[in-house]
Amino acid sequence: MLHHVLTVEDPQGFRNFLLNNMTYSLGRSLGNSIILRSNLVSRQQATLLAVASKKSSCFFRIIDGSLEGKRSTNGILINGKKRFSHILSHGDEILFSKDTKAVYQVITAITNIPKSNTSQDQITKSGFPSLNNQSFDETEVFQFSPLKSIPDQDLSAHIHKTINQFISSPELNPQPIIELNLVGKILYLNPAALSQFPKLEEMKVSHPLLQELLMQLVPLVNPVRKFFVREVKINNKVFEEIIHFMPWNEVIRIHISDVTKQRQAEAIIAYQIHQDTLTGLPNRKYLHEHLVEAIKKLENKKQQFAVLFLDIDRFKLINNSLGHSIGDLLLKAVCDRLKNLLKPDDLMVRWGADEFAIVTKAIASIDAVVQIAEAMIQALTLPFNCGGHELHITTCIGASIYPDHNTDVEGLIRNADMAMYRAKAEGQNSFQFYIPNMQEQSFQRLSMENNLRRALENNELLTYYQPQVDLITGKIVGLEVLLRWKHVALGAISPSQFIPLAEETGLIIAIGTWVLRQTCLQAVAWQNMGLPPIQIGVNLSIKQLQQKDFLSCLQQILEETNLDPHFLELEITEGIMMDNVEEKIILLNEFRQMGIQLSIDDFGTGYSSLSYLKKLPIDTLKIDRIFIEYITYNEHDRTIVASIINLSHSLSLNVIAEGVETQEQVDLLRSLGCDQIQGYFFHKALPVDEIEALLRAQAVTKPNKI
Ligand code: C2E
Ligand code: CA
Ligand code: CA
């Protein structure tokens, strides 16, 4: 059996309508069967029409405006699109105005509601409330709701009908009717009242149906306010009392109807609307309401709770390759494992396809949240057996803490979600807290730093090599090592992005050492393959040179790898001359004595004095790309480059032009007497195997003239 439910949300709150009739009119005016309580909607905004179909028993079409064809002022949006007529399907969202919307749902079974003793506002992982019918004793446990006054103009068709029934024939009315005066004397009981509540006559105003009614009513009544409702719950039955005060004779007439079934249906609908059918978990709508309640309760208390978002990595892949039924089995299995880790007060909901949200209350410390997250990640690392497939999954969890990371529902959810995406960037099986009060940039820094640490461990760093070509022979005479970071999730990250960070955090020491060792190993490997030995330049950070033990570290690497130091070149920037110049010169001389080549990188961009060049024990000068870029157009740049080349030659230095991209640049640099060039015109930095192929080809053929 299918049930069609419309959940309306307007400025007055949520209401569920079980759609049983063939037509419904929706709008602001009170004549509508579904009243939209907002001034922004039309008097008759829309109409719902039941349409019979062969496939399913019935479905609903929504049309803009009235059945007579009068359209609403602002129209209706279905799932964000303006529509005049639309056949509703499960989950469709209908927007009537800025503040009024509805969601249409088709609910299958209204059975199998988990039974629980919890009251409606205490729904936790243990389940949802259900009302069950037990034998009825009219005097047993009872409670009543506050009395609600209803202005005349708001009287619903249902109340009108109830009141009018009395006028016709109270004696025949199957609904109990009681009349009282203001001092609590029962004036009349109709036959239905007498038979359904036999104790009324004896108990009088102390009967649950009448208890405290006058106390609630008397302060409220006046000649204008005549209608009230309250609900009385007696022994699992719910009765609605429609109370009509007649000021002319000071009589109160109470119409009683048993609304137990209706309330049951509403509870069931509320349950269905808040539940995910696959896992049986509450859904995101429920999470939202749960958090609103949780926050309300905690206001002004010094308690914390955490919202965790968990996402299964590459779930789509499993779904697409093994089919949705296996995907569904996996989701259920994941849900079951996670459930085992929950405390009785925790809540877990299915947030999206492969996302779960967990609310864990009264956490003792932040560490406790880390432990929970780690336990969850751990529990899901064990393989799953789904339909005969052994599946291994990894997950990522993000968490936000109330009230530290946010105090409103949307914020907590958003921050937990954001933290989860950040965890994803960290790699598989990671956990991240939301980082409060931090700009996006600082986050990037922080997560980059963690990422970078891992990059070294996970072999995500690679050395690429850019050829340096002799301008006269056209031969590759040297290589420069350029670091590459292939991040699993973020792709290739440029060294200009992470080297400054590595320098700031000190990670450059470990990274620099790795590059040096890697380069030496590679150079030896190429030589062992029979390739002609070639000089390789490694970029050094000033931070590395400031390390006391750098020299011994370098010596050790050379010894370990057995590379002839003559094939190693260290590229240093002019910044090295900023302080402790004498000390640096001593160090550079030590390198020189070991046989290592030295070059000044990015020449022209840093320290402006050229006089120091004379003092430095260097072999090569690399002219920065900045001067080369416009060399063919800009006379000023051409003059600078020409004088750098002349100066270098006068100091017996080799000159390399960096960033050469065009034939014109090549020709001009050759005419200026530049020795070597490096740039995209020949090759970008290339991976090991491509360099290997180039060197091999060069060893057997005559290089092309350039
Ligand atoms: P750099 O030493 O000046 O390296 C040259 C940069 O210019 C490289 O960028 C290279 O790919 C790029 N390049 C080469 N030819 C051309 C060209 O024709 N046109 C253009 N537009 N660009 C060209 P990359 O690889 O992104 O490296 C950037 C910087 O990162 C390097 O600048 C260097 O300062 C630093 N770096 C790279 N690897 C390392 C390393 O292992 N250690 C240290 N400390 N720094 C490194
Ligand atoms: Ca360089
Ligand atoms: Ca450079």
Side-chain angles (χ1 to χ4, degrees), residues 178-192:
I178 309 168
E179 277 187 355
L180 287 187
N181 65 13
L182 278 180
V183 290
K185 186 169 189 287
I186 293 182
L187 305 175
Y188 171 73
L189 293 170
N190 77 344

Side-chain angles (χ1 to χ4, degrees), residues 5 67 127 132 167 172 319 321 366 476 527 535 548 618 706:
V5 179
L67 255 188
N132 39 16
I167 302 166
L172 299 175
N319 232 359
S321 53
I366 297 292
I476 298 174
Q527 287 174 20
Q535 184 179 294
K548 289 263 175 311
I618 51 168
I706 47 167

Side-chain angles (χ1 to χ4, degrees), residues 24-211:
Y24 287 86
S25 60
L26 295 90
R28 174 164 52 90
S29 97
L30 299 170
N32 286 295
S33 33
I34 296 176
I35 302 167
L36 305 175
R37 295 177 200 277
S38 156
N39 291 333
L40 302 178
V41 303
S42 298
R43 296 184 62 77
Q44 260 202 285
Q45 179 83 16
T47 310
L48 279 176
L49 291 174
V51 195
S53 87
K54 278 185 197 133
K55 268 202 238 144
S56 59
S57 54
C58 129
F59 53 88
F60 281 86
R61 177 187 287 281
I62 186 160
I63 55 174
D64 179 21
S66 70
L67 255 188
E68 292 77 43
K70 187 169 182 290
R71 294 225 167 119
S72 69
T73 318
N74 295 320
I76 49 172
L77 296 182
I78 314 284
N79 301 326
K81 290 208 182 89
K82 193 156 185 154
R83 288 280 150 83
F84 296 119
S85 165
H86 172 84
I87 289 175
L88 289 170
S89 40
H90 178 75
D92 276 352
E93 190 183 88
I94 309 149
L95 198 72
F96 300 108
S97 69
K98 245 187 357 217
D99 59 2
T100 304
K101 66 176 182 187
V103 174
Y104 171 80
Q105 309 222 25
V106 183
I107 289 165
T108 44
I110 292 214
T111 52
N112 287 335
I113 310 298
K115 291 221 164 84
S116 129
N117 297 323
T118 48
S119 71
Q120 176 117 29
D121 55 7
Q122 283 179 316
I123 308 169
T124 62
K125 83 161 186 176
S126 45
F128 290 85
S130 70
L131 298 164
N132 39 16
N133 278 318
Q134 286 167 4
S135 63
F136 181 68
D137 177 340
E138 64 181 288
T139 61
E140 269 297 296
V141 262
F142 85 101
Q143 61 187 113
F144 49 80
S145 70
L147 202 67
K148 250 186 25 206
S149 134
I150 316 162
D152 275 10
Q153 68 272 19
D154 270 8
L155 285 185
S156 68
H158 151 69
I159 294 181
H160 268 301
K161 211 168 122 200
T162 310
I163 293 161
N164 290 337
Q165 266 169 358
F166 179 83
I167 302 166
S168 52
S169 47
E171 296 292 307
L172 299 175
N173 198 323
Q175 272 188 357
I177 298 169
I178 309 168
E179 277 187 355
L180 287 187
N181 65 13
L182 278 180
V183 290
K185 186 169 189 287
I186 293 182
L187 305 175
Y188 171 73
L189 293 170
N190 77 344
L194 282 167
S195 73
Q196 285 178 45
F197 303 100
K199 302 240 168 83
L200 259 173
E201 273 190 303
E202 170 200 332
M203 292 177 76
K204 303 196 171 64
V205 280
S206 58
H207 188 277
L209 283 177
L210 301 178
Q211 250 185 55

Side-chain angles (χ1 to χ4, degrees), residues 412-608:
L412 280 166
I413 291 178
R414 193 180 51 242
N415 292 347
D417 193 38
M418 219 191 293
M420 188 195 73
Y421 277 97
R422 283 160 186 184
K424 262 209 184 315
E426 291 279 294
Q428 300 164 343
N429 289 336
S430 317
F431 167 70
Q432 278 277 307
F433 273 116
Y434 169 70
I435 304 156
N437 308 323
M438 270 189 164
Q439 298 308 318
E440 196 56 18
Q441 226 181 352
S442 17
F443 155 70
Q444 273 183 357
R445 228 202 78 131
L446 211 108
S447 87
M448 274 278 251
E449 189 185 328
N450 288 335
N451 270 304
L452 197 51
R453 264 176 226 287
R454 284 205 189 175
L456 257 176
E457 295 164 20
N458 294 352
N459 299 325
E460 285 169 28
L461 295 182
L462 296 170
T463 48
Y464 271 47
Y465 301 83
Q466 187 175 34
Q468 295 164 336
V469 176
D470 186 291
L471 256 179
I472 302 192
T473 62
K475 270 184 97 166
I476 298 174
V477 290
L479 300 170
E480 179 183 4
V481 186
L482 293 163
L483 199 49
R484 293 292 175 262
W485 179 6
K486 295 270 163 75
H487 188 284
V488 273
L490 306 173
I493 304 174
S494 151
S496 349
Q497 268 181 284
F498 66 83
I499 293 288
L501 178 74
E503 288 185 326
E504 253 179 83
T505 55
L507 272 172
I508 192 69
I509 305 297
I511 292 175
T513 309
W514 179 83
V515 173
L516 264 172
R517 183 174 284 114
Q518 191 61 27
T519 306
C520 295
L521 285 170
Q522 189 58 64
V524 171
W526 278 329
Q527 287 174 20
N528 290 345
M529 288 164 123
L531 292 172
I534 192 161
Q535 184 179 294
I536 307 181
V538 176
N539 290 285
L540 275 198
S541 152
I542 295 175
K543 283 269 155 62
Q544 285 173 278
L545 287 169
Q546 286 166 346
Q547 283 295 108
K548 289 263 175 311
D549 60 357
F550 181 71
L551 185 68
S552 60
C553 173
L554 183 63
Q555 282 165 332
Q556 200 190 330
I557 290 173
L558 285 167
E559 260 172 51
E560 255 175 49
T561 57
N562 216 11
L563 178 73
D564 179 348
H566 289 98
F567 297 115
L568 180 66
E569 184 185 46
L570 296 178
E571 293 194 13
I572 297 151
T573 60
E574 294 162 278
I576 190 180
M577 302 312 293
M578 296 294 273
D579 55 28
N580 294 334
V581 182
E582 300 309 318
E583 236 178 81
K584 297 284 165 47
I585 292 174
I586 295 172
L587 185 63
L588 296 187
N589 274 314
E590 302 244 30
F591 296 156
R592 252 319 224 354
Q593 275 159 22
M594 288 164 67
I596 294 170
Q597 303 277 306
L598 293 174
S599 65
I600 290 287
D601 197 5
D602 304 338
F603 186 79
T605 57
Y607 199 69
S608 49

